[in-house]
Coordinates of all heavy atoms in Angstrom, one line a residue:
M1 N 55.6 78.5 181.9 CA 56.7 79.0 181.1 C 57.3 80.3 181.7 O 56.5 81.2 182.2 CB 56.3 79.3 179.7 CG 55.9 78.1 178.9 SD 57.5 77.3 178.6 CE 57.2 76.5 177.1
G2 N 58.6 80.5 181.7 CA 59.2 81.7 182.2 C 59.2 82.8 181.2 O 58.8 82.7 180.0
D3 N 59.8 83.9 181.6 CA 59.9 85.1 180.7 C 61.1 84.8 179.8 O 62.2 84.6 180.2 CB 60.2 86.3 181.6 CG 60.2 87.6 180.8 OD1 59.6 87.6 179.7 OD2 60.7 88.6 181.3
P4 N 60.8 84.9 178.4 CA 61.9 84.6 177.5 C 62.9 85.7 177.3 O 64.0 85.5 176.7 CB 61.1 84.4 176.1 CG 59.9 85.2 176.3 CD 59.5 85.2 177.8
T5 N 62.7 86.9 177.8 CA 63.6 88.0 177.7 C 64.8 87.8 178.7 O 64.5 87.5 179.8 CB 63.0 89.4 177.9 OG1 62.4 89.4 179.2 CG2 62.0 89.6 176.8
P6 N 66.0 87.9 178.2 CA 67.1 87.7 179.1 C 67.3 88.9 180.1 O 66.9 90.0 179.7 CB 68.3 87.6 178.2 CG 67.9 88.3 177.0 CD 66.5 88.1 176.9
A7 N 67.8 88.7 181.2 CA 68.0 89.7 182.2 C 69.2 90.6 181.7 O 70.2 90.1 181.2 CB 68.3 89.2 183.5
T8 N 69.1 91.9 181.8 CA 70.1 92.8 181.4 C 71.0 93.2 182.6 O 70.5 93.1 183.7 CB 69.6 94.1 180.7 OG1 68.7 94.7 181.7 CG2 68.8 93.7 179.5
R9 N 72.2 93.5 182.3 CA 73.1 94.0 183.4 C 73.4 95.5 183.2 O 74.3 95.8 182.5 CB 74.4 93.2 183.3 CG 74.2 91.7 183.6 CD 75.5 90.9 183.5 NE 76.7 91.7 183.8 CZ 77.9 91.3 183.3 NH1 78.0 90.3 182.6 NH2 78.9 92.1 183.6
P10 N 72.6 96.3 183.8 CA 72.7 97.7 183.6 C 74.0 98.2 184.3 O 74.4 97.7 185.4 CB 71.5 98.3 184.2 CG 71.1 97.3 185.3 CD 71.5 96.0 184.7
G11 N 74.6 99.2 183.8 CA 75.6 100.0 184.5 C 77.0 99.5 184.3 O 77.9 100.0 185.0
D12 N 77.3 98.4 183.5 CA 78.6 98.0 183.4 C 79.3 98.5 182.2 O 80.3 97.9 181.7 CB 78.7 96.5 183.6 CG 77.9 95.8 182.5 OD1 77.2 96.4 181.8 OD2 78.1 94.5 182.4
R13 N 78.8 99.5 181.6 CA 79.4 100.1 180.4 C 80.0 101.5 180.7 O 79.9 102.4 179.8 CB 78.4 100.1 179.3 CG 78.0 98.7 178.8 CD 77.2 98.8 177.6 NE 76.8 97.4 177.3 CZ 76.4 97.0 176.2 NH1 76.3 97.9 175.2 NH2 76.1 95.8 176.0
S14 N 80.5 101.7 181.8 CA 81.0 103.0 182.2 C 82.3 103.2 181.4 O 83.1 102.3 181.3 CB 81.3 103.0 183.7 OG 82.0 104.2 184.0
P15 N 82.6 104.5 181.0 CA 83.9 104.8 180.4 C 85.1 104.6 181.4 O 86.2 104.5 180.9 CB 83.7 106.2 179.9 CG 82.5 106.7 180.6 CD 81.7 105.6 181.0
W16 N 84.8 104.6 182.7 CA 85.9 104.4 183.6 C 86.5 103.0 183.5 O 87.6 102.8 183.9 CB 85.4 104.6 185.1 CG 85.0 106.0 185.3 CD1 83.7 106.5 185.5 CD2 85.9 107.2 185.5 NE1 83.8 107.9 185.8 CE2 85.1 108.3 185.7 CE3 87.3 107.3 185.4 CZ2 85.7 109.6 185.9 CZ3 87.8 108.6 185.5 CH2 87.0 109.7 185.8
N17 N 85.8 102.1 182.9 CA 86.3 100.7 182.8 C 87.5 100.7 181.9 O 88.3 99.8 181.9 CB 85.2 99.8 182.3 CG 84.1 99.6 183.3 OD1 84.4 99.6 184.5 ND2 82.9 99.2 182.8
W18 N 87.7 101.7 181.0 CA 88.8 101.8 180.1 C 90.1 101.9 180.9 O 91.2 101.5 180.4 CB 88.7 102.9 179.1 CG 87.7 102.6 178.1 CD1 86.4 103.1 178.0 CD2 87.8 101.8 176.9 NE1 85.8 102.6 176.9 CE2 86.6 101.8 176.2 CE3 88.9 101.0 176.5 CZ2 86.5 101.0 175.1 CZ3 88.7 100.2 175.3 CH2 87.5 100.3 174.6
L19 N 90.0 102.4 182.1 CA 91.2 102.5 182.9 C 91.8 101.2 183.3 O 93.0 101.1 183.6 CB 90.9 103.3 184.2 CG 90.7 104.8 184.1 CD1 90.3 105.3 185.5 CD2 92.0 105.4 183.6
L20 N 91.0 100.1 183.2 CA 91.5 98.8 183.5 C 92.5 98.3 182.5 O 93.2 97.3 182.7 CB 90.3 97.8 183.6 CG 89.4 98.1 184.8 CD1 88.2 97.2 184.7 CD2 90.2 97.9 186.1
L21 N 92.6 99.0 181.3 CA 93.6 98.6 180.3 C 95.0 99.0 180.8 O 96.0 98.4 180.3 CB 93.3 99.2 179.0 CG 92.1 98.6 178.3 CD1 91.8 99.4 177.0 CD2 92.4 97.2 177.9
I22 N 95.2 99.9 181.7 CA 96.5 100.4 182.1 C 97.3 99.3 182.7 O 98.5 99.1 182.2 CB 96.3 101.6 183.0 CG1 95.8 102.8 182.3 CG2 97.7 102.0 183.6 CD1 95.5 104.0 183.1
P23 N 96.8 98.6 183.7 CA 97.7 97.5 184.2 C 97.9 96.3 183.3 O 98.8 95.5 183.6 CB 96.9 97.1 185.5 CG 95.6 97.5 185.3 CD 95.6 98.7 184.4
I24 N 97.1 96.2 182.2 CA 97.4 95.2 181.3 C 98.4 95.6 180.2 O 99.3 94.8 179.9 CB 96.0 94.8 180.5 CG1 95.0 94.3 181.6 CG2 96.3 93.9 179.4 CD1 93.6 94.1 181.0
V25 N 98.3 96.8 179.8 CA 99.2 97.3 178.7 C 100.6 97.7 179.2 O 101.6 97.5 178.6 CB 98.5 98.4 177.9 CG1 99.5 99.1 176.9 CG2 97.3 97.9 177.2
L26 N 100.6 98.3 180.4 CA 101.8 98.8 180.9 C 103.0 97.8 181.0 O 104.1 98.1 180.6 CB 101.6 99.5 182.3 CG 102.6 100.4 182.9 CD1 102.9 101.6 182.0 CD2 102.2 100.8 184.3
P27 N 102.7 96.6 181.6 CA 103.8 95.6 181.6 C 104.2 95.1 180.2 O 105.3 94.4 180.1 CB 103.3 94.5 182.4 CG 102.1 95.0 183.2 CD 101.6 96.1 182.3
L28 N 103.4 95.3 179.2 CA 103.8 94.8 177.9 C 104.7 95.8 177.1 O 105.2 95.4 176.0 CB 102.5 94.6 177.1 CG 101.5 93.6 177.6 CD1 100.2 93.5 176.8 CD2 102.2 92.2 177.7
I29 N 104.9 97.0 177.6 CA 105.8 97.9 177.0 C 107.2 97.6 177.3 O 107.7 97.8 178.4 CB 105.4 99.3 177.4 CG1 104.0 99.7 177.0 CG2 106.4 100.3 176.7 CD1 103.5 101.0 177.5
T30 N 107.9 97.0 176.4 CA 109.2 96.4 176.7 C 110.3 97.5 176.9 O 111.4 97.2 177.4 CB 109.7 95.5 175.6 OG1 109.6 96.2 174.3 CG2 108.7 94.3 175.5
V31 N 110.1 98.7 176.5 CA 111.0 99.7 176.6 C 111.3 100.0 178.1 O 112.5 100.3 178.5 CB 110.5 101.0 176.0 CG1 111.4 102.2 176.3 CG2 110.3 100.8 174.5
F32 N 110.4 99.7 179.0 CA 110.5 99.9 180.4 C 111.5 98.9 181.0 O 112.0 99.1 182.1 CB 109.2 99.9 181.1 CG 108.3 101.0 180.8 CD1 106.9 100.8 180.8 CD2 108.8 102.3 180.4 CE1 106.0 101.9 180.4 CE2 107.9 103.3 180.1 CZ 106.5 103.1 180.1
F33 N 111.7 97.8 180.4 CA 112.5 96.7 180.9 C 114.0 96.8 180.4 O 114.8 96.1 180.8 CB 112.0 95.3 180.5 CG 110.7 95.0 181.2 CD1 109.5 95.2 180.5 CD2 110.6 94.6 182.5 CE1 108.3 94.9 181.0 CE2 109.4 94.3 183.1 CZ 108.2 94.5 182.3
N34 N 114.2 97.8 179.5 CA 115.5 97.8 178.8 C 116.5 98.7 179.6 O 117.1 99.6 179.1 CB 115.3 98.4 177.4 CG 116.6 98.2 176.6 OD1 117.4 97.4 176.9 ND2 116.6 98.9 175.5
A35 N 116.7 98.4 180.9 CA 117.7 99.1 181.7 C 117.9 98.3 183.0 O 117.1 97.5 183.4 CB 117.2 100.5 182.1
E36 N 119.1 98.5 183.6 CA 119.4 97.8 184.8 C 119.3 98.7 186.0 O 119.2 98.2 187.1 CB 120.8 97.2 184.7 CG 120.9 96.1 183.7 CD 122.3 95.6 183.6 OE1 123.1 95.9 184.5 OE2 122.6 94.8 182.7
S37 N 119.4 99.9 185.9 CA 119.3 100.9 187.0 C 118.1 101.7 186.9 O 117.5 101.9 185.8 CB 120.6 101.7 187.0 OG 120.7 102.5 185.9
P38 N 117.6 102.3 187.9 CA 118.2 102.4 189.2 C 117.7 101.2 190.1 O 116.7 100.6 189.9 CB 117.6 103.7 189.7 CG 116.3 103.8 189.1 CD 116.5 103.2 187.7
D39 N 118.5 101.0 191.1 CA 118.2 100.0 192.1 C 117.3 100.7 193.2 O 117.4 101.9 193.4 CB 119.4 99.4 192.8 CG 120.2 98.5 191.9 OD1 119.6 98.2 190.8 OD2 121.3 98.2 192.3
L40 N 116.4 100.0 193.8 CA 115.6 100.5 194.8 C 115.7 99.6 196.0 O 115.2 98.5 196.0 CB 114.1 100.6 194.3 CG 113.1 101.2 195.3 CD1 113.5 102.7 195.6 CD2 111.7 101.1 194.8
L41 N 116.2 100.1 197.1 CA 116.4 99.4 198.4 C 117.2 98.1 198.1 O 117.0 97.1 198.7 CB 115.1 99.0 199.0 CG 114.2 100.2 199.4 CD1 112.8 99.7 199.9 CD2 114.8 101.1 200.4
G42 N 118.1 98.1 197.2 CA 119.0 97.0 196.9 C 118.4 96.1 195.8 O 119.0 95.1 195.5
F43 N 117.1 96.3 195.4 CA 116.5 95.4 194.4 C 116.8 96.0 193.0 O 116.7 97.2 192.8 CB 115.0 95.4 194.6 CG 114.5 94.7 195.8 CD1 114.2 95.4 197.0 CD2 114.4 93.3 195.8 CE1 113.8 94.7 198.1 CE2 114.0 92.6 196.9 CZ 113.7 93.3 198.0
P44 N 117.2 95.1 192.1 CA 117.4 95.5 190.7 C 116.0 96.0 190.1 O 115.0 95.7 190.6 CB 117.8 94.3 190.0 CG 118.3 93.4 191.1 CD 117.6 93.7 192.3
R45 N 116.2 96.8 189.1 CA 115.0 97.5 188.5 C 113.9 96.5 188.1 O 112.7 96.7 188.4 CB 115.4 98.3 187.3 CG 114.3 98.9 186.6 CD 114.8 99.6 185.3 NE 113.7 100.2 184.6 CZ 113.8 101.4 184.0 NH1 114.9 102.0 184.1 NH2 112.8 101.8 183.4
F46 N 114.3 95.3 187.5 CA 113.3 94.4 187.1 C 112.3 94.0 188.2 O 111.1 93.9 188.0 CB 113.9 93.2 186.5 CG 113.0 92.1 186.0 CD1 112.3 92.3 184.8 CD2 112.7 91.0 186.7 CE1 111.4 91.4 184.3 CE2 111.8 90.1 186.3 CZ 111.2 90.2 185.1
Y47 N 112.9 93.7 189.4 CA 112.1 93.2 190.5 C 111.2 94.2 191.1 O 110.0 94.0 191.3 CB 113.0 92.5 191.5 CG 113.7 91.3 191.0 CD1 115.1 91.4 190.7 CD2 113.0 90.2 190.7 CE1 115.7 90.3 190.2 CE2 113.7 89.1 190.2 CZ 115.0 89.1 189.9 OH 115.7 88.1 189.4
W48 N 111.7 95.4 191.4 CA 110.9 96.4 192.0 C 109.9 96.9 191.0 O 108.8 97.4 191.3 CB 111.6 97.5 192.7 CG 112.5 98.4 191.8 CD1 113.8 98.4 191.7 CD2 112.0 99.5 191.0 NE1 114.2 99.4 190.8 CE2 113.2 100.1 190.4 CE3 110.8 100.1 190.7 CZ2 113.1 101.2 189.5 CZ3 110.7 101.2 189.9 CH2 111.9 101.8 189.3
Q49 N 110.2 96.8 189.7 CA 109.2 97.3 188.7 C 108.0 96.3 188.6 O 106.9 96.7 188.4 CB 109.9 97.3 187.3 CG 109.2 98.1 186.3 CD 110.0 98.2 185.0 OE1 111.0 97.5 184.8 NE2 109.6 99.2 184.2
Q50 N 108.3 95.0 188.8 CA 107.2 94.0 188.9 C 106.3 94.3 190.0 O 105.1 94.2 189.9 CB 107.7 92.6 189.0 CG 108.6 92.2 187.8 CD 107.8 92.2 186.5 OE1 106.6 91.7 186.4 NE2 108.3 92.8 185.4
L51 N 106.9 94.6 191.2 CA 106.1 95.0 192.4 C 105.3 96.3 192.1 O 104.1 96.4 192.5 CB 106.9 95.2 193.6 CG 107.6 93.9 194.1 CD1 108.6 94.2 195.2 CD2 106.6 92.9 194.5
A52 N 105.9 97.2 191.4 CA 105.2 98.5 191.1 C 104.0 98.2 190.2 O 102.9 98.8 190.3 CB 106.1 99.5 190.4
Y53 N 104.1 97.2 189.3 CA 103.0 96.9 188.4 C 101.8 96.3 189.2 O 100.7 96.5 188.9 CB 103.4 95.9 187.3 CG 104.3 96.6 186.2 CD1 105.3 95.8 185.6 CD2 104.2 97.9 185.9 CE1 106.1 96.4 184.6 CE2 105.0 98.5 185.0 CZ 105.9 97.7 184.3 OH 106.7 98.3 183.4
I54 N 102.2 95.6 190.2 CA 101.1 95.0 191.1 C 100.4 96.1 191.8 O 99.1 96.2 191.8 CB 101.7 94.0 192.1 CG1 102.2 92.8 191.4 CG2 100.7 93.6 193.1 CD1 103.0 91.8 192.2
L55 N 101.1 97.1 192.3 CA 100.5 98.2 192.9 C 99.6 99.1 192.0 O 98.5 99.5 192.3 CB 101.5 99.1 193.6 CG 102.3 98.5 194.8 CD1 103.4 99.5 195.2 CD2 101.3 98.2 195.9
V56 N 100.1 99.2 190.7 CA 99.3 99.9 189.7 C 98.0 99.2 189.4 O 96.9 99.8 189.3 CB 100.1 100.1 188.4 CG1 99.3 100.6 187.3 CG2 101.3 101.1 188.7
G57 N 98.1 97.9 189.3 CA 96.9 97.0 189.1 C 95.9 97.1 190.2 O 94.7 97.3 190.0
V58 N 96.4 97.0 191.4 CA 95.5 97.1 192.6 C 94.8 98.5 192.7 O 93.6 98.6 192.9 CB 96.2 96.7 193.9 CG1 95.4 97.0 195.1 CG2 96.6 95.3 193.9
S59 N 95.6 99.5 192.5 CA 95.1 100.9 192.7 C 94.1 101.2 191.5 O 93.1 101.9 191.8 CB 96.2 101.9 192.8 OG 97.0 101.9 191.6
T60 N 94.4 100.8 190.4 CA 93.5 101.0 189.2 C 92.2 100.3 189.4 O 91.2 100.9 189.2 CB 94.2 100.6 187.9 OG1 95.5 101.3 187.8 CG2 93.3 101.0 186.7
T61 N 92.3 99.1 189.8 CA 91.1 98.3 190.0 C 90.2 98.9 191.1 O 89.0 99.0 191.0 CB 91.4 96.8 190.4 OG1 92.2 96.3 189.3 CG2 90.2 96.0 190.5
T62 N 90.9 99.3 192.2 CA 90.1 100.0 193.3 C 89.5 101.3 192.8 O 88.3 101.5 193.2 CB 91.1 100.2 194.5 OG1 91.7 99.0 194.9 CG2 90.4 100.9 195.6
L63 N 90.2 102.0 192.1 CA 89.7 103.3 191.6 C 88.5 103.1 190.7 O 87.5 103.8 190.8 CB 90.8 104.1 190.8 CG 90.4 105.4 190.2 CD1 90.1 106.4 191.3 CD2 91.5 105.9 189.3
V64 N 88.6 102.2 189.8 CA 87.5 101.9 188.9 C 86.3 101.4 189.6 O 85.1 101.7 189.4 CB 87.9 100.9 187.7 CG1 86.7 100.4 186.9 CG2 88.9 101.6 186.8
Y65 N 86.5 100.5 190.6 CA 85.4 100.0 191.4 C 84.7 101.1 192.2 O 83.5 101.2 192.2 CB 85.9 99.0 192.4 CG 84.9 98.6 193.4 CD1 83.8 97.7 193.0 CD2 84.9 99.0 194.7 CE1 82.8 97.4 193.9 CE2 83.9 98.7 195.6 CZ 82.9 97.8 195.2 OH 81.9 97.5 196.1
Q66 N 85.5 102.0 192.8 CA 84.9 103.1 193.5 C 84.1 104.1 192.6 O 83.1 104.7 193.0 CB 86.0 103.9 194.3 CG 86.6 103.1 195.4 CD 85.6 102.8 196.5 OE1 84.7 103.5 196.8 NE2 85.8 101.6 197.1
L67 N 84.6 104.3 191.4 CA 84.0 105.2 190.5 C 82.7 104.6 189.8 O 81.9 105.4 189.3 CB 85.0 105.7 189.4 CG 86.1 106.6 189.9 CD1 87.1 106.8 188.8 CD2 85.5 107.9 190.4
T68 N 82.7 103.3 189.7 CA 81.6 102.7 189.0 C 80.5 102.0 189.9 O 79.5 101.5 189.4 CB 82.1 101.7 187.9 OG1 82.8 100.7 188.6 CG2 82.9 102.4 186.9
K69 N 80.8 101.8 191.2 CA 79.8 101.1 192.0 C 78.6 102.0 192.1 O 78.6 103.2 192.1 CB 80.4 100.8 193.4 CG 80.6 102.0 194.3 CD 81.1 101.5 195.6 CE 81.3 102.7 196.6 NZ 81.8 102.2 197.8
R70 N 77.5 101.3 192.2 CA 76.2 101.9 192.4 C 76.0 102.3 193.8 O 76.3 101.6 194.7 CB 75.1 101.0 191.9 CG 75.1 100.9 190.4 CD 73.9 100.1 190.0 NE 74.4 99.1 189.1 CZ 74.1 97.8 189.1 NH1 73.1 97.4 189.9 NH2 74.6 97.0 188.3
R71 N 75.5 103.5 194.0 CA 75.3 104.0 195.4 C 74.0 103.3 195.9 O 73.1 102.9 195.2 CB 75.0 105.5 195.4 CG 76.1 106.3 194.7 CD 77.3 106.3 195.6 NE 78.3 107.1 195.0 CZ 79.6 106.7 194.9 NH1 80.0 105.6 195.4 NH2 80.5 107.5 194.3
G72 N 74.1 103.0 197.2 CA 72.9 102.4 197.9 C 73.0 100.9 197.9 O 72.1 100.2 198.5
E73 N 74.0 100.3 197.2 CA 74.1 98.8 197.2 C 75.3 98.5 198.1 O 76.3 99.2 198.1 CB 74.3 98.3 195.8 CG 73.1 98.4 195.0 CD 73.3 97.8 193.6 OE1 74.3 97.1 193.4 OE2 72.4 97.9 192.8
G74 N 75.3 97.4 198.7 CA 76.3 97.0 199.6 C 77.7 97.2 199.2 O 78.6 97.6 199.4

């Protein structure tokens, strides 16, 4: 028979994980979509704003990963 106690996952309850809500909530705020200008490099606001949300998501995820990874592990 094996050990009946389940394996725990230590360390994934960091408060830095709350930063991951930013790229989820930010695109849901419709006030940011209620304008046509400014254009950026000829792109209307809606399109470059979508690209900006992708950059926010990637940078936030990278930041949280760097702040919460355990030292000494790959």
Side-chain angles (χ1 to χ4, degrees):
M1 291 290 209
D3 188 18
T5 58
T8 59
R9 294 176 29 201
D12 60 350
R13 295 188 182 199
S14 172
W16 293 110
N17 291 334
W18 286 102
L19 287 175
L20 294 173
L21 287 177
I22 292 173
I24 295 171
V25 172
L26 194 62
L28 298 176
I29 301 173
T30 57
V31 174
F32 295 147
F33 294 99
N34 194 16
E36 293 183 10
S37 64
D39 291 348
L40 181 66
L41 302 173
F43 289 99
R45 178 184 177 140
F46 179 80
Y47 296 108
W48 65 258
Q49 196 172 18
Q50 297 298 313
L51 294 174
Y53 289 149
I54 292 170
L55 293 176
V56 168
V58 169
S59 61
T60 304
T61 304
T62 302
L63 177 68
V64 169
Y65 172 73
Q66 292 297 327
L67 291 173
T68 59
K69 73 178 179 180
R70 287 184 231 139
R71 305 289 180 226
E73 293 183 6

